[in-house]
Amino acid sequence: FRNEVGGIWDPTIGGILTSEIKKYADEKIKIVQWKGELDGDRLITWGVKKWAASKGYDYLAWIGFLTGMKALEDEDRWFCSEFPYWMFQENGYKITTEDVTFIYPSDLARSPCFETVFEGKVREIL
């Protein structure tokens, strides 16, 4: 998810890091965009708040993925696709009709709420 200064919020092992997209220059990505109008300031405010409170990567979520135990969730720890999912959901932009505990990157890409605006290597858009 792109932040307010042109970098990206990157939920990784170290927590939600602020990175430059160019560090992924040779990676293949898909960029999806919300189809309707949205309040970007509200979403960025939410992201900054969660970034500041982040306590690291959500390792328990991986156990939840394997076991199906949805109780293994920590609101101050994040994995990659969980961060944008909850950013939209908690700000009134429903991606799904019900809250999903385990969200996969493909769930966002397949959602009818988004459209693909780029697919390829990062270096192609730098």
Side-chain angles (χ1 to χ4, degrees), residues 64-82:
F65 279 125
L66 297 172
T67 64
M69 295 175 61
K70 294 184 178 192
L72 298 174
E73 182 178 20
D74 184 335
E75 292 185 16
D76 291 326
R77 296 183 185 274
W78 302 91
F79 60 89
C80 61
S81 52
E82 181 182 40

Side-chain angles (χ1 to χ4, degrees), residues 10-17 51 54-59 77-78:
D10 193 3
T12 65
I13 292 170
I16 300 172
L17 304 178
W51 170 72
S54 176
K55 294 180 182 172
Y57 195 76
D58 196 353
Y59 289 106
R77 296 183 185 274
W78 302 91

Side-chain angles (χ1 to χ4, degrees), residues 2-126:
R2 213 166 174 66
N3 67 25
E4 75 278 6
V5 293
I8 57 171
W9 282 316
D10 193 3
T12 65
I13 292 170
I16 300 172
L17 304 178
T18 301
S19 301
E20 292 297 322
I21 198 166
K22 66 184 175 187
K23 97 177 198 184
Y24 298 103
D26 291 319
E27 300 293 325
K28 186 173 180 183
I29 62 168
K30 178 184 271 193
I31 298 175
V32 295
Q33 178 176 305
W34 185 260
K35 285 184 177 179
E37 291 188 31
L38 49 79
D39 183 345
D41 290 339
R42 182 175 174 184
L43 295 175
I44 288 171
T45 299
W46 183 94
V48 168
K49 180 181 170 188
K50 297 299 182 179
W51 170 72
S54 176
K55 294 180 182 172
Y57 195 76
D58 196 353
Y59 289 106
L60 282 179
W62 288 102
I63 297 170
F65 279 125
L66 297 172
T67 64
M69 295 175 61
K70 294 184 178 192
L72 298 174
E73 182 178 20
D74 184 335
E75 292 185 16
D76 291 326
R77 296 183 185 274
W78 302 91
F79 60 89
C80 61
S81 52
E82 181 182 40
F83 187 77
Y85 171 80
W86 284 109
M87 180 185 60
F88 280 96
Q89 290 289 103
E90 289 186 359
N91 285 287
Y93 302 101
K94 297 296 183 184
I95 295 170
T96 61
T97 54
E98 59 186 54
D99 287 343
V100 177
T101 301
F102 305 122
I103 187 81
Y104 296 88
S106 59
D107 293 334
L108 297 170
R110 286 193 313 258
S111 170
C113 298
F114 294 95
E115 63 183 329
T116 300
V117 294
F118 175 80
E119 192 165 0
K121 293 207 174 194
V122 171
R123 64 180 142 79
E124 296 172 30
I125 60 171
L126 294 176

